[in-house]
Amino acid sequence: QTTNINAALQQMTTLVFPTWQVYREIESYQLFDDIYSVVTRLATAAAKIPFYACDVSGEEIEKGPAVDILNQLSYFKRQQLYTYLYLSGECFIYKETYTLGPNRGKMKFHFLHPNYVTLILSSGYPQEIKGYRYQDNNITFTLPYEDVIFIRRFNPTTIMLNAWRGMSPIKSLAQRLTRLQANMSASVSQMQNGGVPSIVYDKTPGLEIGVMGQHKENFARFLRNSDNKGAPYFTGGELGVLQLGLSLADLDALALADVDFDKICNAYGVSSTLFNNKKASTESNVKEMRVDMYTNAVMPIVHLVTDALTDGINMGVYVKPDTDHIPELQEDMKMKADAWAALPSFVPNEMREAMGQDISTDPNADKLYIKTNYVAIDDLNINVDPIDNGQEDYTNNQ
């Protein structure tokens, strides 16, 4: 019994289970349209960037096992990869290696759902990941460390075991999503049911019991008649009205929802201007925000993935993102041309190379050219000899 207890305690300190928040993060993607909009926009933008393999010198490798592996990461799989990272803050890729048949030695990628993966840590210090255990409703298996590419975002938690798991931006939005859900539920309920806007009462002295009920039945019968639409309702006696509660406009729920959405965008490092927010939406602003989205929200995660793939493939190649076809990541050629035009001197071939043009074979293209109309500062202090005015031509010209 002591041995079993010690083994169980040791297992508890070496297994890092997925927390309940992983399930909630995935669920929020399905329940909250704001989370879905932001995560889908970022995952789609990142998935547009394919990968390529290069050697130590940076030269692209066009053939080989590493290239075949990267070709498996289609647009759909890249979108799946980034959706996991933006939602759960972590992604698990199982590297299945074929040992028999015509595909012997080749590798195939499979994505493991983070909610079903448990980390297996070493018992000594410093602790390291020794393997992974996958367990869902139908199957359970264990994988060694070498067979899985684990990509995660940094988690600064002080709970030691949870620090091994990636941190999702949704974790920092937990309370805001609770308020967002309550706000949405309240507004939908008010829209559907309308609530009790007011109370009508009869102020007629000596009112008999049942007269007010008769008023209610008559009014209901009046409303059911389509011919009475827009017509006034007449009744006898003196009636009073008590207003109850606040209207949806008074609650200003829409303004509160805008604030919540801005905070969600802030957590993901993207501007709400990209999501039909017309408060500061101009063509130039939207263009700048798209560039900012790739710079601050997309490319950092892309580099996180390429570094993990480089280590995970482990074939002596480097995995790089191909951003040549992403307009937002290209240099502004007009701005670049203006910068070259403002230089006091330049070498034509250097300028052509910087502008993406072919190098000229003309020897004069490698010479340094200086713009004209420049005067040395010493030449500005020229001593001018006095003018000979023998004919007194300039006597009256002071």
Side-chain angles (χ1 to χ4, degrees):
Q1 290 180 352
T2 302
T3 303
N4 292 338
I5 292 174
N6 292 335
L9 291 175
Q10 183 178 6
Q11 186 182 41
M12 290 176 61
T13 59
T14 56
L15 292 180
V16 184
F17 297 94
T19 64
W20 65 273
Q21 291 177 342
V22 176
Y23 173 79
R24 183 179 180 181
E25 291 155 3
I26 301 297
E27 190 180 39
S28 65
Y29 180 71
Q30 301 171 337
L31 296 180
F32 297 104
D33 56 340
D34 290 342
I35 294 294
Y36 176 85
S37 300
V38 176
V39 171
T40 301
R41 172 66 66 91
L42 293 175
T44 301
K48 292 179 181 178
I49 304 175
F51 305 118
Y52 69 92
C54 62
D55 55 21
V56 179
S57 64
E59 190 71 21
E60 182 178 356
I61 301 174
E62 298 182 356
K63 294 182 179 181
V67 177
D68 296 336
I69 294 174
L70 293 178
N71 288 338
Q72 297 181 33
L73 293 174
S74 61
Y75 175 82
F76 173 78
K77 289 190 175 181
R78 293 197 301 269
Q79 191 176 30
Q80 183 180 3
L81 186 157
Y82 290 115
T83 300
Y84 279 134
L85 283 176
Y86 284 116
L87 268 183
S88 305
E90 57 188 13
C91 179
F92 298 90
I93 306 176
Y94 167 42
K95 302 181 296 182
E96 181 186 10
T97 303
Y98 296 106
T99 58
L100 299 173
N103 294 325
R104 180 180 180 181
K106 292 185 178 181
M107 188 183 301
K108 186 177 182 180
F109 284 165
H110 303 275
F111 289 95
L112 305 178
H113 198 294
N115 194 50
Y116 303 133
V117 178
T118 300
L119 308 184
I120 303 175
L121 304 181
S122 60
S123 57
Y125 183 84
Q127 282 188 308
E128 297 178 347
I129 299 176
K130 292 299 184 181
Y132 304 88
R133 189 177 74 181
Y134 179 88
Q135 182 176 3
D136 58 22
N137 296 331
N138 300 319
I139 189 172
T140 300
F141 58 88
T142 301
L143 297 171
Y145 171 80
E146 296 78 12
D147 288 353
V148 177
I149 300 177
F150 180 30
I151 310 173
R152 65 187 178 101
R153 304 180 70 163
F154 174 64
N155 190 347
T157 180
T158 55
I159 303 175
M160 297 307 297
L161 291 181
N162 289 347
W164 290 93
R165 309 293 302 223
M167 177 176 172
S168 167
I170 299 179
K171 181 178 176 58
S172 63
L173 297 169
Q175 290 186 344
R176 190 165 300 278
L177 292 181
T178 301
R179 188 177 76 175
L180 182 64
Q181 184 177 15
N183 183 17
M184 182 65 68
S185 299
S187 61
V188 170
S189 177
Q190 188 167 0
M191 288 293 186
Q192 290 177 339
N193 303 322
V196 180
S198 59
I199 296 177
V200 179
Y201 62 96
D202 198 327
K203 297 190 293 183
T204 305
L207 181 67
E208 296 180 2
I209 300 175
V211 174
M212 201 61 195
Q214 186 64 39
H215 284 322
K216 182 179 179 182
E217 292 179 4
N218 293 337
F219 183 63
R221 195 159 44 247
F222 174 85
L223 293 178
R224 285 195 294 267
N225 189 350
S226 60
D227 294 336
N228 293 331
K229 183 177 181 181
Y233 174 72
F234 297 92
T235 185
E238 184 180 2
L239 303 180
V241 178
L242 294 178
Q243 298 293 338
L244 297 179
L246 297 174
S247 67
L248 184 61
D250 293 330
L251 293 175
D252 202 11
L254 292 178
L256 191 61
D258 289 341
V259 172
D260 290 336
F261 184 67
D262 287 341
K263 295 301 182 180
I264 292 174
C265 291
N266 290 342
Y268 278 96
V270 64
S271 173
S272 61
T273 304
L274 296 173
F275 300 88
N276 299 322
N277 187 335
K278 297 180 174 56
K279 289 184 296 185
S281 179
T282 62
E283 184 177 354
S284 59
N285 283 349
V286 173
K287 182 178 180 181
E288 291 177 2
M289 291 304 102
R290 282 201 297 264
V291 176
D292 182 77
M293 177 189 69
Y294 271 99
T295 303
N296 297 322
V298 173
M299 291 309 299
I301 302 300
V302 171
H303 289 304
L304 184 70
V305 171
T306 54
D307 289 346
L309 290 177
T310 298
D311 295 336
I313 294 177
N314 193 23
M315 293 184 176
V317 299
Y318 295 89
V319 180
K320 299 294 182 182
D322 184 6
T323 60
D324 291 342
H325 62 288
I326 305 297
E328 289 80 4
L329 297 178
Q330 307 311 311
E331 294 182 284
D332 191 330
M333 300 305 292
K334 184 180 183 303
M335 185 182 299
K336 207 170 186 181
D338 292 341
W340 278 98
L343 293 177
S345 62
F346 68 97
V347 176
N349 268 342
E350 292 179 356
M351 181 185 66
R352 293 178 62 85
E353 185 177 10
M355 298 297 292
Q357 300 176 351
D358 296 333
I359 300 298
S360 175
T361 57
D362 190 341
N364 293 323
D366 293 319
K367 295 180 180 180
L368 180 65
Y369 290 83
I370 301 177
K371 292 183 178 180
T372 58
N373 299 328
Y374 285 94
V375 180
I377 192 170
D378 295 336
D379 294 340
L380 296 177
N381 300 323
I382 301 176
N383 295 323
V384 181
D385 295 334
I387 298 176
D388 184 9
N389 193 21
Q391 303 298 326
E392 298 182 355
D393 293 333
Y394 306 102
T395 302
N396 296 325
N397 189 354
Q398 299 300 325

